[in-house]
mmCIF file of all heavy atoms in Angstrom:
data_model
loop_
_atom_site.group_PDB
_atom_site.id
_atom_site.type_symbol
_atom_site.label_atom_id
_atom_site.label_comp_id
_atom_site.label_asym_id
_atom_site.label_seq_id
_atom_site.Cartn_x
_atom_site.Cartn_y
_atom_site.Cartn_z
ATOM 1 N N ARG O 39 21.675 -76.658 120.363
ATOM 2 C CA ARG O 39 22.550 -75.537 120.164
ATOM 3 C C ARG O 39 22.295 -74.430 121.169
ATOM 4 O O ARG O 39 23.233 -73.800 121.676
ATOM 5 C CB ARG O 39 22.370 -75.008 118.727
ATOM 6 C CG ARG O 39 22.919 -75.916 117.671
ATOM 7 C CD ARG O 39 23.118 -75.132 116.350
ATOM 8 N NE ARG O 39 21.840 -74.631 115.863
ATOM 9 C CZ ARG O 39 21.074 -75.245 114.994
ATOM 10 N NH1 ARG O 39 21.432 -76.484 114.533
ATOM 11 N NH2 ARG O 39 19.942 -74.722 114.511
ATOM 12 N N ALA O 77 63.459 -60.230 150.250
ATOM 13 C CA ALA O 77 63.772 -58.945 150.874
ATOM 14 C C ALA O 77 64.013 -59.072 152.332
ATOM 15 O O ALA O 77 64.911 -58.419 152.935
ATOM 16 C CB ALA O 77 62.604 -57.951 150.587
ATOM 17 N N GLY O 114 76.995 -45.275 156.557
ATOM 18 C CA GLY O 114 76.915 -45.116 155.086
ATOM 19 C C GLY O 114 77.843 -46.054 154.359
ATOM 20 O O GLY O 114 77.462 -46.651 153.365
ATOM 21 N N GLN O 125 72.620 -56.268 145.806
ATOM 22 C CA GLN O 125 72.071 -55.790 144.514
ATOM 23 C C GLN O 125 70.702 -55.074 144.705
ATOM 24 O O GLN O 125 69.757 -55.316 143.928
ATOM 25 C CB GLN O 125 71.939 -56.954 143.549
ATOM 26 C CG GLN O 125 73.254 -57.598 143.232
ATOM 27 C CD GLN O 125 73.145 -58.775 142.234
ATOM 28 O OE1 GLN O 125 72.054 -59.238 141.911
ATOM 29 N NE2 GLN O 125 74.267 -59.214 141.698
ATOM 30 N N LEU O 181 59.546 -52.263 148.347
ATOM 31 C CA LEU O 181 59.245 -53.204 149.410
ATOM 32 C C LEU O 181 59.488 -52.545 150.753
ATOM 33 O O LEU O 181 60.584 -51.983 150.972
ATOM 34 C CB LEU O 181 60.104 -54.472 149.233
ATOM 35 C CG LEU O 181 59.924 -55.208 147.890
ATOM 36 C CD1 LEU O 181 61.181 -54.993 147.072
ATOM 37 C CD2 LEU O 181 59.696 -56.718 148.144
ATOM 38 N N VAL O 226 44.505 -79.302 137.105
ATOM 39 C CA VAL O 226 44.611 -80.592 137.774
ATOM 40 C C VAL O 226 45.955 -80.694 138.526
ATOM 41 O O VAL O 226 45.987 -81.144 139.719
ATOM 42 C CB VAL O 226 44.444 -81.728 136.783
ATOM 43 C CG1 VAL O 226 44.753 -83.079 137.452
ATOM 44 C CG2 VAL O 226 43.018 -81.763 136.192
ATOM 45 N N ALA O 266 69.380 -72.134 178.624
ATOM 46 C CA ALA O 266 70.039 -71.038 177.937
ATOM 47 C C ALA O 266 71.469 -71.414 177.620
ATOM 48 O O ALA O 266 71.974 -71.094 176.507
ATOM 49 C CB ALA O 266 69.956 -69.798 178.784
ATOM 50 N N MET O 280 82.610 -69.044 186.124
ATOM 51 C CA MET O 280 82.458 -68.530 187.481
ATOM 52 C C MET O 280 81.416 -67.422 187.395
ATOM 53 O O MET O 280 81.488 -66.506 186.606
ATOM 54 C CB MET O 280 83.750 -68.012 188.019
ATOM 55 C CG MET O 280 83.692 -67.687 189.500
ATOM 56 S SD MET O 280 83.550 -69.194 190.532
ATOM 57 C CE MET O 280 85.175 -69.823 190.318
ATOM 58 N N SER O 288 65.994 -73.633 200.201
ATOM 59 C CA SER O 288 64.872 -73.839 201.128
ATOM 60 C C SER O 288 64.701 -75.340 201.328
ATOM 61 O O SER O 288 65.051 -76.143 200.494
ATOM 62 C CB SER O 288 63.580 -73.265 200.508
ATOM 63 O OG SER O 288 63.130 -74.099 199.471
ATOM 64 N N VAL O 306 53.601 -87.041 197.963
ATOM 65 C CA VAL O 306 53.897 -86.487 196.680
ATOM 66 C C VAL O 306 52.967 -85.232 196.444
ATOM 67 O O VAL O 306 53.405 -84.238 195.930
ATOM 68 C CB VAL O 306 53.655 -87.529 195.568
ATOM 69 C CG1 VAL O 306 53.712 -86.891 194.178
ATOM 70 C CG2 VAL O 306 54.775 -88.597 195.661
ATOM 71 N N SER O 347 66.074 -59.198 195.419
ATOM 72 C CA SER O 347 65.114 -60.091 194.793
ATOM 73 C C SER O 347 65.010 -61.432 195.549
ATOM 74 O O SER O 347 63.917 -62.001 195.780
ATOM 75 C CB SER O 347 65.461 -60.385 193.333
ATOM 76 O OG SER O 347 65.450 -59.216 192.590
ATOM 77 N N VAL O 359 53.418 -69.865 202.280
ATOM 78 C CA VAL O 359 53.353 -71.139 202.949
ATOM 79 C C VAL O 359 52.474 -71.031 204.192
ATOM 80 O O VAL O 359 51.638 -71.897 204.467
ATOM 81 C CB VAL O 359 54.764 -71.609 203.309
ATOM 82 C CG1 VAL O 359 54.695 -72.841 204.260
ATOM 83 C CG2 VAL O 359 55.555 -71.999 202.044
ATOM 84 N N LEU O 376 80.486 -66.270 194.880
ATOM 85 C CA LEU O 376 80.867 -66.871 193.604
ATOM 86 C C LEU O 376 80.582 -68.377 193.596
ATOM 87 O O LEU O 376 80.722 -69.017 194.619
ATOM 88 C CB LEU O 376 82.361 -66.650 193.305
ATOM 89 C CG LEU O 376 82.770 -65.152 193.107
ATOM 90 C CD1 LEU O 376 84.286 -65.074 192.997
ATOM 91 C CD2 LEU O 376 82.069 -64.544 191.907
#
Side-chain angles (χ1 to χ4, degrees):
R39 288 197 300 266
Q125 299 180 347
L181 301 107
V226 171
M280 191 69 72
S288 74
V306 170
S347 297
V359 170
L376 296 174

